[in-house]
Amino acid sequence: MERKNFVEELKWRGMLAQIMPGTEELLQKEMVTAYLGTDPTADSLHIGHLCGIMMLRHLQRCGHKPIILVGGATGMIGDPSGKSQERNLLNDETLRHNQECIKAQVAHFLDFESTEPNAAEMVNNYDWMKDFTFLDFAREVGKHITVNYMMAKDSVQQRLNGTARDGLSFTEFTYQLLQGYDFLYLYQHKGVKLQLGGNDQWGNMTTGTELIRRTLGNDVETFALTCPLITKSDGKKFGKTESGNIWLDPKRTSPYRFYQFWLNVSDEEAEKYIKIFTSLDKETIDALVAEHQQDPGRRILQRRLGEEVTLMVHGREALDMAIEASNILFGKATKEALERLDEQTFLDVFDGVPRFEIASDQLGQPAIELFTTAAPVFPSKGEMRKMVQGGGVSLNKEKLTDQQRPITADDLIDGKYLLAQKGKKNYFLISVK
């Protein structure tokens, strides 16, 4: 059976930056074991990591074997590539915790449980580096790569030429040798012939292929392939918002906020991202793009992108809640819909709306008193009466028809919130303490 062409898959998706000669031929000839490294500097990945993870996903779907390497050892040092400052060092306990959290997230994208030969694996370079002495490292690794070769790397040059305040430490300078040794170790112990990574890793990756060649001989061939660094349409770093990273961990970024991120990308970004961050085939994506262009206002591309990525990362239940939450601001929601949201999602939906805080003993008074005095949603009772009579006031998404109706604890959402609405778009959140 003809193997699906991994390189062609990456090309049409816009996920191929650099590739060593012979890589595509190798991938067509045999099942290739390939690895991609990630540093466990946090207990969650963010969407900046997703392009690399999707590369591994496409690799496995093309019949090859993906290995994700968690850099427990290299994470203790920090990679200078694309960085202006040295990283903080992490302890062993933190690194192990982060590794387990990352594996659980990556399991949404890769099949670790498969009985096929291309089942995914996770490895940690701390396991083979922890007992590797400095003298062993100097003899087995350091003697094969010259300082001249290491100095020529862009990542080193950028740090040496003044873009960083503190220069480049010896620890960071040796990073490319450590990453190169990972490739050598995985070639010898796991049969890994290909390293994948972001384009900023090209220098470190080619150091690995060079180390293998110089250590094991010219007849040993290994390869490297990179994806481009994903940027937003304004050229800024992808995945960061004003409030920080968009994380895969729902405790750090709620599924609603996660879904909203994709929903709010531009048309140009949506067309690019749907190829990179979903597994939809070319025919489906081309049809979606054509449909979107007929009526961009419906945001068909953004909706499908948000659905696909949120489903992969968070599952069907979280996606359904995110969609329902998204409709609350703009659709005909009910009090029941509000009550189905968990507290974090509820607060995320109404993030930025005017808020008031009242004491619980202020409950029980008529709506017209509560919403003009305790929580002054309306500047005057006259204005509130007028709006209630015109059907323009809602409490918890239900029309308020009687301005004298008492507001009680039974009205509270999640036992602590009231949602008042003036007209279609003006929301006010009242917290009851």
Side-chain angles (χ1 to χ4, degrees):
M1 189 178 79
E2 187 180 358
R3 194 178 300 280
K4 191 176 178 185
N5 191 314
F6 174 58
V7 174
E8 284 301 318
E9 185 76 11
L10 294 187
K11 278 181 182 173
W12 78 259
R13 290 183 182 275
M15 296 175 71
L16 185 64
Q18 297 188 77
I19 180 170
M20 289 182 68
T23 305
E24 188 169 4
E25 292 77 3
L26 175 75
L27 286 157
Q28 287 299 93
K29 185 175 69 176
E30 62 186 68
M31 185 192 85
V32 175
T33 302
Y35 91 96
L36 177 139
T38 185
D39 279 340
T41 46
D43 62 0
S44 174
L45 300 175
H46 54 74
I47 58 175
H49 295 105
L50 273 186
C51 186
I53 301 301
M54 289 303 295
M55 285 175 82
L56 290 177
R57 180 176 173 86
H58 294 310
L59 180 91
Q60 189 172 37
R61 288 162 70 97
C62 289
H64 303 288
K65 181 178 177 68
I67 292 180
I68 183 160
L69 180 146
V70 173
T74 39
M76 288 179 162
I77 294 169
D79 176 10
S81 303
K83 309 291 189 306
S84 59
Q85 290 184 320
E86 190 162 347
R87 285 183 180 171
N88 294 327
L89 309 187
L90 303 176
N91 62 39
D92 184 34
E93 185 182 350
T94 303
L95 287 165
R96 291 291 176 185
H97 166 74
N98 292 356
Q99 176 187 343
E100 291 308 309
C101 294
I102 289 168
K103 182 171 183 179
Q105 290 179 342
V106 175
H108 294 296
F109 297 84
L110 304 178
D111 186 355
F112 288 93
E113 307 301 324
S114 172
T115 55
E116 298 297 318
N118 70 328
E121 283 186 50
M122 176 175 271
V123 295
N124 187 336
N125 61 10
Y126 183 73
D127 293 335
W128 57 82
M129 291 304 302
K130 66 179 185 293
D131 298 322
F132 202 15
T133 69
F134 181 78
L135 291 176
D136 289 338
F137 185 78
R139 284 167 56 93
E140 294 179 31
V141 180
K143 72 174 184 179
H144 291 293
I145 302 292
T146 66
V147 170
N148 307 53
Y149 180 88
M150 295 169 70
M151 290 285 287
K153 299 295 183 182
D154 285 343
S155 60
V156 173
Q157 286 297 316
Q158 286 167 9
R159 290 293 292 273
L160 288 177
N161 291 336
T163 55
R165 289 196 311 265
D166 305 321
L168 181 71
S169 71
F170 172 77
T171 305
E172 287 187 294
F173 182 57
T174 57
Y175 187 95
Q176 60 178 291
L177 291 183
L178 290 170
Q179 187 168 328
Y181 181 72
D182 286 342
F183 201 171
L184 172 61
Y185 182 92
L186 289 172
Y187 174 83
Q188 292 175 314
H189 294 85
K190 297 282 186 183
V192 171
K193 293 184 180 179
L194 173 63
Q195 184 178 174
L196 309 176
N199 208 29
D200 60 338
Q201 292 294 310
W202 183 253
N204 293 339
M205 292 161 74
T206 52
T207 297
T209 60
E210 186 67 8
L211 177 64
I212 291 168
R213 186 183 68 78
R214 294 187 185 187
T215 304
L216 302 178
N218 290 334
D219 57 335
V220 175
E221 288 190 298
T222 49
F223 302 88
L225 180 160
T226 63
C227 63
L229 298 179
I230 312 302
T231 56
K232 294 190 282 191
S233 54
D234 60 7
K236 291 182 180 175
K237 193 170 183 179
F238 167 76
K240 281 191 179 282
T241 64
E242 288 179 6
S243 56
N245 285 320
I246 303 295
W247 299 93
L248 305 195
D249 183 343
K251 295 191 209 66
R252 289 171 175 253
T253 301
S254 71
Y256 165 76
R257 273 195 191 277
F258 186 86
Y259 176 70
Q260 282 291 315
F261 172 83
W262 303 102
L263 216 56
N264 290 320
V265 301
S266 69
D267 290 352
E268 180 190 342
E269 289 167 336
E271 192 170 332
K272 180 167 79 167
Y273 296 165
I274 201 165
K275 295 173 185 172
I276 296 170
F277 299 113
T278 78
S279 298
L280 297 173
D281 59 36
K282 190 173 189 304
E283 189 180 353
T284 302
I285 290 175
D286 287 346
L288 284 166
V289 170
E291 189 181 356
H292 179 90
Q293 288 170 348
Q294 295 293 317
D295 185 2
R298 290 173 60 203
R299 301 182 76 75
I300 288 166
L301 270 183
Q302 286 92 336
R303 290 180 188 281
R304 186 63 181 274
L305 170 65
E307 287 170 13
E308 291 289 330
V309 186
T310 308
L311 181 63
M312 238 184 328
V313 173
H314 294 298
R316 170 59 62 185
E317 190 177 335
L319 170 62
D320 290 344
M321 181 184 282
I323 292 172
E324 184 168 41
S326 300
N327 291 334
I328 283 171
L329 285 176
F330 310 107
K332 292 184 177 178
T334 62
K335 184 183 180 185
E336 287 69 34
L338 292 177
E339 289 173 332
R340 279 196 293 272
L341 303 181
D342 60 67
E343 183 177 6
Q344 187 57 57
T345 303
F346 178 81
L347 292 175
D348 283 347
V349 170
F350 298 103
D351 182 38
V353 309
R355 292 183 68 163
F356 300 101
E357 197 172 285
I358 65 172
S360 57
D361 61 10
Q362 292 177 288
L363 292 172
Q365 58 186 308
I368 196 160
E369 296 292 338
L370 188 74
F371 293 137
T372 57
T373 308
V377 170
F378 295 88
S380 69
K381 293 180 180 178
E383 183 182 318
M384 181 171 170
R385 283 193 194 96
K386 194 173 175 182
M387 282 202 77
V388 169
Q389 286 164 5
V393 179
S394 294
L395 172 64
N396 299 333
K397 283 292 182 177
E398 294 176 345
K399 281 271 185 270
L400 187 66
T401 55
D402 179 7
Q403 65 218 21
Q404 294 297 332
R405 155 171 148 26
I407 307 299
T408 70
D410 292 339
D411 293 308
L412 297 179
I413 302 290
D414 203 25
K416 62 178 90 165
Y417 302 107
L418 296 167
L419 181 69
Q421 188 176 352
K422 287 164 57 174
K424 287 186 177 179
K425 295 182 179 177
N426 297 311
Y427 290 93
F428 301 83
L429 189 60
I430 297 106
S431 303
V432 181
K433 296 293 184 185

